[in-house]
Each structure stands twice: as C-alpha cells, then as structure tokens.
C-alpha cells in the first residue's frame, strides 16, 4: 500500500512512475492515518470548484502538527491558501486588484531587465538554481512589496523553512526552523509595515501599500496583513524557482524539444504550460470534507483530510494523450498546476510571465548549455524541483 507519510524509496526524487501506478490501480486511496489520497484529474477539478463540501481551512489539521498558537500555526491558518471566505475573499480581492493585466504589463520591462542583468553576471559554470532561477522571483516579489534591495537577503531561507513545514512528515529540526523563520519574518515585516505607513508607496504599483489600505470591504488586521505578506513572498518564490529550474532541466534532457522551441519561439507559452503539467512545481493540495462524500466508489467521512495529487492528475490518461511524453506543442493542456476554482493561484499570470521570460532570455544567450551529473533534487514531496543544477554554458 502506498503511504504518503512513508513513501517508497526513490519517490521524492521521481514520484511520477508511482503516480502512474496509483492512477491505474488506486486513484482514491485511504491512508493509514485516515486521510485520503486523490489522483484523478476529474476528481480534483470537482473538489476545487465545490467550496461547500470541501474546505481549505486547516486549523483542525495544523493544530497537532504545529502546536496551536505557534508561529507556524498562526501563519498557515491566516494566510490566503488555507482559508475560506470571508477572509479568503477579502485578501484575494486586494491581491487580484494589484495584479491586473495592466499592472503586469508595466512589470514586464523590469522583469526582462532583471533576467538580463542576472545573465550578464552568471558564471561560466553556474548552479542554475543558486545563480539564476532562485534569484528571479525573490526580486520580482520583493519589487511588488517594495522591499529594499539590501534587505532581501534572508527572504529565500525564510521561505524555504516555512514552506518546508508543509511536508507530510516533519522532524523536530524542521519544525523548529519553521517556527524561527515565521518569527523572524514577522518581526521584519512589522518594521517594514511601520515604515510604509509613514512613507506610503503608490498603491498602483506597491502591493504592500494596497494591502495596508484595504478596500471597500475593509482593512486587514495587523496579523492578517503580516501573514499574507509572508504568503505572497513565499508563494511566489519556491514554486517559480521550481518552474524555471525544471524548464531548463527538461529542455536539456529533451533536446529535440529544445530545438523545436529554438526553431519556433512562438511555442514558448505552450512550452511553459507543458513544464507546469509535466513537472508541476506544487505537487499536492489539500481539502477537508464537511459532509460524507463518495469519490471513485470510496466512502469518505465528514472531517477527512484529502491529499489532492496535482502531479498525478496532470498525468491522467483520461485527460492527456501520451501523458508520459514531454511535448511543448501539447494542445489542449488543461493541467491543474495552479489548482482551480475560487482558490486558483492568484499569481498564475505573473508566474507564467516569469517562466516565459526566464526561459526565453536564457536560451537566446546559451542555446548550447549542458547540465552536469551532480544535479540535486529539492528533497520534498509537496514541492518538486531542484536544489542544485550545475551547468556549463558552452
């Protein structure tokens, strides 16, 4: 039996053959702790869109995991992703208003300049994660909140520690590191917010000022404000790093697809979508049932935690022809990398733009790059990507 809290050897590095087996044999699988693993695309899509039977609130699940009232508990039960209306509605409305197509169009030249500047400075034998992929989202999200450049150093480590606490199993060291990261991040943001209240930014371009101001629906409390600033910085960081890193790894490993893209740059948007499907940066989501339900013939009680396996759903043969094939011309491509329904990722357009520009500018400079043999996976179940990606630029 497949146990997500104790997965088989090799699963963390390469979960995809295991997903194929689950889809074929046990697409709805009860776990030893009473939770249920859901793998089919149609089931995930239906769950994402039904906010009555399936809720995102995680207070019940996170209290024993993090300790009620702890820093991690406060963060993960206050941030946008693990909340339902009315808080989810208020925070999402403010964020969405700051990420309009017009606002994103204004950001694109700065993003191109950021990527080009990084490529100007990249060493001949870089680690494509440390020297490129991880630096892009931290600068872009830092710009959104107008975090001073000299204060951005700790943001990546804080983000990794806080998101790492969402893994299915958590050791004492990881737990302590996550609590410490939230506390330090919170203290920093309290100071940044106090400074921004004194010297306001332009709400048209400064998301922090917009969050402080609130909207017609009211203002966020201080805790809601702080924890959702942490969420913005975290959510836009690791997943986009994984998207960019996986894009470069997949293009290297599938040279025929790279050559196809170089020959036809118009395929770039489809290429990014295929990376999102084939190596989804976020492999799992969660919901909790509010009433008894039956999914795939399995009866599930109210109050059950559901593990929504995005990585498996994006390989579902009922939806994707030759799902195991990396095909940058794939169409249609109805992947669930950004979830769906009211909780669809608020930053999906920004993430796509970052992935598109990073891949485009990198390949234009270094079309003959090669990867070394010492690549290192991210070591996580929920978030899939690389920790190290040594390369030679040629």
């Amino acid at each position: 039996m497949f146990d997500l809290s104790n997965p088989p050897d090799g699963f963390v590095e390469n979960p995809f053959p295991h997903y194929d087996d689950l889809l074929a044999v046990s697409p709805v699988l009860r776990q030893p702790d009473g939770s249920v693993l859901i793998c089919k695309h149609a089931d995930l899509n239906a769950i994402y869109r039904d906010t009555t039977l399936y809720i995102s609130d995680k207070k019940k699940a996170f209290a024993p995991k993090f300790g009620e009232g702890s820093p991690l508990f406060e963060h993960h039960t206050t941030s946008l992703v693990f909340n339902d209306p009315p808080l989810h509605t208020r925070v999402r409305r403010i964020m969405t208003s700051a990420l309009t197509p017009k606002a994103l169009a204004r950001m694109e030249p700065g993003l191109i300049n950021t990527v080009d500047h990084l490529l100007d400075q990249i060493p001949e034998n870089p680690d494509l994660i440390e020297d490129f992929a991880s630096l892009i989202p931290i600068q872009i999200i830092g710009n959104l909140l107008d975090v001073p450049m000299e204060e951005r150093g700790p943001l990546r480590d804080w983000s990794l520690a806080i998101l790492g606490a969402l893994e299915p199993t958590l050791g004492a060291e990881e737990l302590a590191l996550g609590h410490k990261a939230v506390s330090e991040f919170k203290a920093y943001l309290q100071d940044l917010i106090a400074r921004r209240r004194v010297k306001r930014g332009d709400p048209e371009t400064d998301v922090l000022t917009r969050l402080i101001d609130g909207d017609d629906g009211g203002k966020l409390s201080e805790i809601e404000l702080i924890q959702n600033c942490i969420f913005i910085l975290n959510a836009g960081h690791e997943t986009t790093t994984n998207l960019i890193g996986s894009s470069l790894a997949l293009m290297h490993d599938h040279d025929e697809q790279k050559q196809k893209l170089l020959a036809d740059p118009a395929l770039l948007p489809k290429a990014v979508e295929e990376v999102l499907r084939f190596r989804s940066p976020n492999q799992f989501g969660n919901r909790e049932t509010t009433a008894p339900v039956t999914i795939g013939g399995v009866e599930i009680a109210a109050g059950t935690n559901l593990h929504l396996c995005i990585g498996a759903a994006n390989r579902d043969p009922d939806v994707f022809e030759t799902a195991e094939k990396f095909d940058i011309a794939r169409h249609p491509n109805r992947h669930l990398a950004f979830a769906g329904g009211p909780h669809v990722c608020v930053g999906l357009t920004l993430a796509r733009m970052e992935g598109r520009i990073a891949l485009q500018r990198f390949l234009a400079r270094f079309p003959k790059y090669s990867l070394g043999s010492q690549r290192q996976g991210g070591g996580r179940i929920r978030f899939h990507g690389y920790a190290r990606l040594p390369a030679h630029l040629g």
Side-chain angles (χ1 to χ4, degrees):
M1 175 183 174
F2 180 87
D3 181 358
L4 187 60
S5 65
N6 186 27
D9 291 344
F11 175 81
V12 175
E13 294 77 16
N14 183 19
F16 305 102
H18 299 279
Y19 293 160
D20 293 340
D21 291 342
L22 286 166
L23 283 163
V25 179
S26 306
V28 181
L29 182 63
R30 199 176 305 278
Q31 298 291 283
D33 64 359
S35 62
V36 178
L37 180 64
I38 313 288
C39 295
K40 293 293 289 182
H41 187 285
D43 291 334
L44 265 68
N45 196 38
I47 290 167
Y48 280 135
R49 296 176 190 283
D50 188 335
T51 57
T52 301
L53 281 177
Y54 309 100
I55 59 173
S56 299
D57 186 290
K58 302 294 287 182
K59 293 183 181 68
K60 177 182 171 183
F62 285 164
K65 182 173 185 174
F66 299 138
E68 193 165 357
S70 69
L72 280 168
F73 180 85
E74 180 186 270
H75 169 66
H76 285 305
T77 59
T78 308
S79 66
L80 181 72
V81 70
F82 295 121
N83 260 285
D84 296 302
L87 176 60
H88 177 269
T89 305
R90 287 193 293 128
V91 177
R92 186 181 181 88
R93 185 171 58 237
I94 295 169
M95 290 185 187
T96 302
S97 69
L99 295 172
T100 62
K102 182 179 178 181
L104 290 171
R106 286 200 303 265
M107 290 175 59
E108 185 160 349
L111 174 55
I112 291 172
N113 288 338
T114 295
V115 171
D116 285 348
H117 178 69
L118 292 173
L119 292 173
D120 287 342
Q121 297 184 320
I122 199 167
E124 183 178 352
N125 296 300
D127 177 347
L128 294 181
I129 303 301
E130 181 178 348
D131 296 319
F132 185 60
S134 70
L135 301 179
I136 296 169
I138 211 66
Q139 299 303 338
I140 299 308
I141 304 298
N143 291 346
L144 273 180
L145 295 180
D146 199 16
V147 176
M149 192 68 67
E150 66 275 11
E151 297 175 9
R152 297 180 184 183
L155 298 181
R156 173 170 164 77
D157 287 341
W158 284 338
S159 174
L160 292 174
I162 294 168
L163 291 176
L166 293 174
E167 287 292 278
T169 57
L170 197 61
E173 184 178 347
E174 290 87 356
L175 184 64
L177 194 62
H179 286 318
K180 181 173 182 284
V182 174
S183 297
E184 292 177 354
F185 212 156
K186 183 177 174 181
Y188 170 72
L189 284 169
Q190 284 173 322
D191 177 64
L192 181 67
I193 289 166
R195 284 183 275 156
R196 195 62 49 82
R197 291 187 192 277
V198 173
K199 187 177 181 181
R200 285 170 45 79
D202 179 357
E204 287 294 315
T205 56
D206 177 12
V207 174
L208 180 53
T209 295
R210 189 183 290 264
L211 288 168
I212 290 170
D213 289 349
D215 63 8
D216 293 340
K219 293 188 176 184
L220 301 175
S221 71
E222 193 74 2
I223 293 300
E224 291 168 350
L225 174 61
I226 290 168
Q227 298 298 356
N228 281 288
C229 285
I230 293 176
F231 164 74
I232 292 171
L233 286 159
N234 288 351
H237 176 67
E238 183 165 16
T239 50
T240 308
T241 298
N242 289 346
L243 168 60
I244 296 168
S246 292
S247 296
L248 297 174
L250 286 167
M251 288 298 166
H252 172 270
D253 296 345
H254 298 81
D255 186 66
E256 77 289 352
Q257 297 295 309
K258 184 181 76 170
Q259 297 306 323
K260 184 185 293 188
L261 179 58
L262 290 170
D264 185 4
L267 286 171
L268 188 62
K270 287 184 179 180
V272 171
E273 296 305 307
E274 181 66 347
V275 174
L276 286 164
R277 181 196 72 86
F278 197 73
R279 291 289 184 269
S280 302
N282 185 10
Q283 292 282 301
F284 284 89
N286 296 90
R287 290 295 186 272
E288 184 178 304
T289 58
T290 61
V293 296
T294 300
I295 303 175
V298 177
E299 295 182 359
I300 301 172
T304 299
N305 185 34
L306 306 180
H307 307 284
L308 308 182
C309 189
I310 296 167
N314 284 344
R315 296 173 68 88
D316 189 338
D318 289 345
V319 178
F320 303 100
E321 187 176 350
T322 59
E324 75 289 349
K325 181 182 177 183
F326 179 64
D327 178 8
I328 66 166
R330 183 179 296 276
H331 182 80
N333 193 346
R334 298 186 295 274
H335 64 75
L336 294 172
F338 294 115
H343 273 270
V344 68
C345 175
V346 71
L348 79 173
T349 305
L350 177 58
R352 283 171 164 141
M353 185 169 76
E354 290 180 76
R356 172 174 55 80
I357 290 172
L359 182 58
Q360 175 191 48
R361 309 302 279 193
F362 185 91
L363 288 180
R365 295 269 194 114
F366 307 111
K368 297 182 179 180
Y369 74 99
S370 60
L371 298 182
S373 60
Q374 301 302 311
R375 70 176 79 177
Q376 179 183 332
R380 296 190 177 181
I381 291 175
R382 186 181 181 104
F383 299 99
H384 188 81
Y386 292 94
R388 295 186 65 249
L389 205 58
H392 179 68
L393 298 182

